[in-house]
């Protein structure tokens, strides 16, 4: 195999596929990127058996062929090359030579035969959404997936298509994050659970283009995302997702309209007094015209007031500050509406059309003063 | 104590003095910053008993007094305050209140009496050098101090003043870095050894101003740097420094003039093939008109050629790539002169006037091919 391409094309390609190279594995072939120039285009493929990514790199093929190269070393070398044309060659013993200007690297690659290609997926009933929109809805929900693997379903996100609506939803037992977006067309009903890791990785590859589209295809076991020159295939999490609708409610006793940025910065300051691993709640008192936020810890105490608009009853309620911060960070509205019932019932942050809904469970607190 | 000042003044002051707050200590008072408003100015002081820093923060004192506050918490809180006026108060029980807008923090401070002030130093025979110059010469030499403490003298830098010359020198047993700069005036002879940590910390506080001066004062046991509103006092390392002059030589058998950036980038690429902890040398062959650099490791091999101007004999010699990289990074000349004798003798990188001299010992290598 032999081909020539620019350093920058190589870097872009490696950046994309590297997301599917596992950090730790006992199968050393998974740490490789397959460089495949057998079919007239230069393809880079990485596959950790859960998630596979394939992208096309522009360049000129001199001799067709394929070889697997250790991803980390390959990427490290390419990054440090001068900004120039790069020639990549391999021989029948998988010896790889990378030449750029007067610099020449020799590496031992691996036989491409050992590599597992992406599973073949039939591209029918594709759902189209812009790269920007898909990236946004992922970033706006992914933080509330459960981090540990004790409940596999919680480590994924619900991905639901109903007519021209796309809904993403994640929950971790303490909170729920839901985002809805309108699609440009209507599609058959689909409901799958996508691993959080897949969505996290794909959100890092997606651009902020509002015009470049991602086409999404489904099988029983896989989801495929196709955009620009890249294909991402991931296994799905099998099983029935939680019944979200029965956890939601539109009843409330107290409604507070508050400036999002002021609220966020105030909670952010309060968390300075919480040592890592400590579970100190912030305590919020909602009265006419203002909200007072307090925190007491071994380090010290803080209180701060913010002007609000209130409807309904006065209320005092405690929250894990991190959960409020995570939700407030990804909302774009200047003013948000917070709906509350009592100190033991979940609080809802949502807009009028429920394009976003963030449910956060309160925590118990003891009033000392 | 009570005073009012801007958030940005507080941040600047805390950034400066925090350098003298130890990361780990068994004496909790050392983790504090003394806030001293007893004398009509607001002083912040930190002192880890080796290094002490004091700076003046502009603000309005309402009630004189002093209190010690945990540096980390104080700095964290101040950084997250809104950009506005901040009021800092303490009462007779060292209870500290920080108020900014509608946010109010309460902390338990410590009695300022427990704090150790900087040692008093008489300011005579001060040596003046610009902040930029002092910062530069430190950054251009500090990398070759020895990191471990097995030889205390090697963990410091020689600081020598002779008439209108300032010379800094560091060495770690494998290399020596020397920088000389001209001062605007002549001074009495001084020769001290300053702890590397002090110089590292001070280089982070110094600005790149070529007009703002640092005044340096000496006692038998201390060095004092005074600039803008800040005083840095450090203990000196006691004892006789190494006799550098007898390690230097101006004889050579081979002289190579090479583009510094090309040489640096080439070695940088070669180090990709060296795993951490591995001690693979780069092997340099100097012949008429070109230098060839080679490296062979378990990962692979690399070779690259660079055009040079050569005087004297051909030579093949091996180096620890890191030592060359460290020196090449801090030299500003476009083309550098490298002086060599044989594969076992030190190599010198120096300019004509010896404003900089970098000595690097070669390493043994076995030629396989």
């Amino acid at each position: 195999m032999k081909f020539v391409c620019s350093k920058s094309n190589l870097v872009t390609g490696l950046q994309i596929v590297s997301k599917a190279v596992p950090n730790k594995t006992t199968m050393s072939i998974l740490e490789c990127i397959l460089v495949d120039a057998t079919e007239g285009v230069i393809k880079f493929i990485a596959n950790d058996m859960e998630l596979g990514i394939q992208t096309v790199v522009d360049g000129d093929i001199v001799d067709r062929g394929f070889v697997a190269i250790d991803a980390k070393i390959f990427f490290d070398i390419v990054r440090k090359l001068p900004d120039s044309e790069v020639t990549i060659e391999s021989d029948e013993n998988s010896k790889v030579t990378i030449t750029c200007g007067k610099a020449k690297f020799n590496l031992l690659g691996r036989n491409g035969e050992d590599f597992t290609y992406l599973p073949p997926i039939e591209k029918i009933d594709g759902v189209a959404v812009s790269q920007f929109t898909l990236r946004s809805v992922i970033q706006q929900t992914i933080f509330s997936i459960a981090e540990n693997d004790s409940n596999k379903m919680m480590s994924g996100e619900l991905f639901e298509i109903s007519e021209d609506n796309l809904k993403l939803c994640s929950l971790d037992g303490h909170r729920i994050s839901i985002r809805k977006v309108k699609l440009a067309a209507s599609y058959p009903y689909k409901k799958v659970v996508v691993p959080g890791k897949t969505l996290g990785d794909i959100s890092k590859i997606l651009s902020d283009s509002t015009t470049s589209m991602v086409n999404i295809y489904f099988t029983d076991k896989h989801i495929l995302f196709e955009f620009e020159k890249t294909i991402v295939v991931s296994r799905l999490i099998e099983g029935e997702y939680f019944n979200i609708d029965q956890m939601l409610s539109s009843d409330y006793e107290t409604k507070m309209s508050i400036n999002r940025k002021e609220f966020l910065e105030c909670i952010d300051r309060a968390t300075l007094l919480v040592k890592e691993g400590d579970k100190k709640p912030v305590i919020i008192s909602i009265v006419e015209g203002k909200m007072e936020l307090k925190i007491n810890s071994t380090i010290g105490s803080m209180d701060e007031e913010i002007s609000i608009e209130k409807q309904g009853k006065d209320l005092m309620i405690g929250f894990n500050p991190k959960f409020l911060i995570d939700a407030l960070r990804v909302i774009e509205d200047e003013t948000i509406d917070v709906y509350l019932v009592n100190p033991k019932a979940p609080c809802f942050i949502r807009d009028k059309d429920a394009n976003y809904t963030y449910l956060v469970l309160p925590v118990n607190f003891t009033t000392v003063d």
Side-chain angles (χ1 to χ4, degrees), chain A:
Chain A
M1 183 199 72
K2 181 175 179 179
F3 65 85
V4 182
C5 65
S6 72
K7 178 202 167 176
S8 64
N9 285 352
L10 280 178
V11 169
T12 308
L14 288 169
Q15 254 163 358
I16 292 171
V17 295
S18 288
K19 300 284 183 294
V21 177
N23 285 328
K24 280 182 188 175
T25 173
T26 49
M27 291 171 67
S28 64
I29 188 73
L30 301 186
E31 293 170 344
C32 291
I33 285 166
L34 182 71
V35 178
D36 183 346
T38 51
E39 293 170 357
V41 289
I42 305 159
K43 280 187 211 161
F44 284 4
I45 309 172
N47 187 358
D48 71 5
M49 310 310 274
E50 282 283 320
L51 172 70
I53 305 180
Q54 172 181 312
T55 195
V56 171
V57 176
D58 285 332
D60 297 319
I61 300 173
V62 181
D63 290 319
R64 295 192 177 197
F66 66 147
V67 68
I69 308 176
D70 182 278
K72 190 180 173 308
I73 296 165
F74 191 20
F75 201 4
D76 282 348
I77 289 175
V78 165
R79 256 192 289 232
K80 292 233 173 160
L81 292 175
D83 281 317
S84 177
E85 291 286 282
V86 183
T87 305
I88 297 180
E89 274 182 270
S90 67
D91 67 11
E92 63 282 4
N93 300 316
S94 303
K95 207 189 122 188
V96 178
T97 308
I98 302 170
T99 319
C100 183
K102 287 180 179 167
K104 191 162 116 183
F105 284 90
N106 290 303
L107 299 173
L108 202 59
R110 301 202 25 175
N111 192 328
E113 303 280 359
D114 301 342
F115 198 87
T116 313
Y117 280 82
L118 306 192
I121 286 172
E122 218 183 339
K123 293 179 191 168
I124 46 168
D125 289 342
V127 173
V129 56
S130 79
Q131 293 203 50
F132 173 80
T133 300
L134 182 60
R135 194 177 73 166
S136 301
V137 289
I138 292 172
Q139 288 172 343
Q140 287 159 345
T141 51
I142 197 166
F143 54 82
S144 64
I145 60 169
E147 281 178 14
N148 61 42
D149 272 347
S150 63
N151 187 324
K152 185 84 178 159
M153 198 57 75
M154 280 191 190
S155 73
E157 278 205 50
L158 179 73
F159 217 92
E160 190 178 34
I161 290 139
S162 172
E163 299 186 343
D164 61 346
N165 288 299
L166 168 65
K167 181 164 98 175
L168 266 74
C169 173
S170 70
L171 62 84
D172 67 2
H174 303 284
R175 50 189 171 156
I176 306 176
S177 305
I178 306 170
R179 281 274 172 171
K180 285 183 201 157
V181 285
K182 280 277 173 216
L183 301 170
S186 277
Y187 299 95
Y189 185 76
K190 285 280 175 205
K191 187 178 174 185
V192 297
V193 184
V194 186
K197 187 188 169 299
T198 295
L199 295 174
D201 287 335
I202 204 171
S203 73
K204 288 173 200 140
I205 307 174
L206 291 167
S207 75
D208 56 3
S209 165
T210 52
T211 51
S212 164
M213 301 306 276
V214 184
N215 285 299
I216 309 173
Y217 304 92
F218 303 88
T219 70
D220 287 351
K221 302 217 164 162
H222 290 98
I223 186 166
L224 182 151
F225 301 86
E226 184 174 39
F227 52 100
E228 290 170 9
K229 297 170 192 162
T230 302
I231 291 171
V232 180
V233 179
S234 168
R235 273 184 200 275
L236 295 172
I237 296 174
E238 292 179 59
E240 189 66 25
Y241 198 68
F242 309 93
N243 185 343
I244 299 296
D245 291 335
Q246 78 178 23
M247 302 178 193
L248 305 179
S249 146
S250 56
D251 298 339
Y252 65 91
E253 299 280 330
T254 308
K255 179 184 167 187
M256 150 171 95
S257 299
I258 187 166
N259 180 289
R260 183 186 63 84
K261 189 156 171 280
E262 281 183 38
F263 194 20
L264 175 58
E265 289 177 351
C266 168
I267 304 170
D268 201 30
R269 277 193 280 277
T271 57
L272 290 174
L273 300 179
V274 185
K275 282 191 192 152
E276 214 162 317
D278 199 353
K279 290 195 177 163
K280 280 284 163 192
V282 290
I283 296 156
I284 289 172
S285 304
I286 300 166
V287 295
E288 203 56 45
K290 68 177 186 185
M291 183 211 72
E292 190 184 13
L293 185 142
K294 278 191 187 193
I295 192 160
N296 262 299
S297 81
T298 49
I299 300 173
S301 66
M302 186 199 107
D303 55 275
E304 183 165 350
E305 279 178 19
I306 300 176
S307 301
I308 61 163
E309 273 181 35
K310 190 198 78 163
Q311 286 172 28
K313 293 184 190 170
D314 289 0
L315 179 70
M316 186 183 272
I317 187 167
F319 289 105
N320 179 330
K322 182 182 182 317
F323 295 167
L324 291 178
I325 287 173
D326 283 345
L328 294 175
R329 276 210 182 117
V330 296
I331 298 175
E332 284 126 347
D333 290 347
E334 198 181 319
T335 304
I336 55 161
D337 294 329
V338 184
Y339 300 86
L340 305 118
V341 179
N342 63 52
K344 306 214 164 177
C347 123
F348 290 88
I349 305 172
R350 71 167 165 254
D351 63 333
K352 285 200 183 63
D353 305 322
N355 289 320
Y356 62 81
T357 305
Y358 294 98
L359 176 158
V360 180
L361 289 181
V363 290
N364 280 325
F365 62 94
T366 43
T367 38
V368 184
D369 41 346

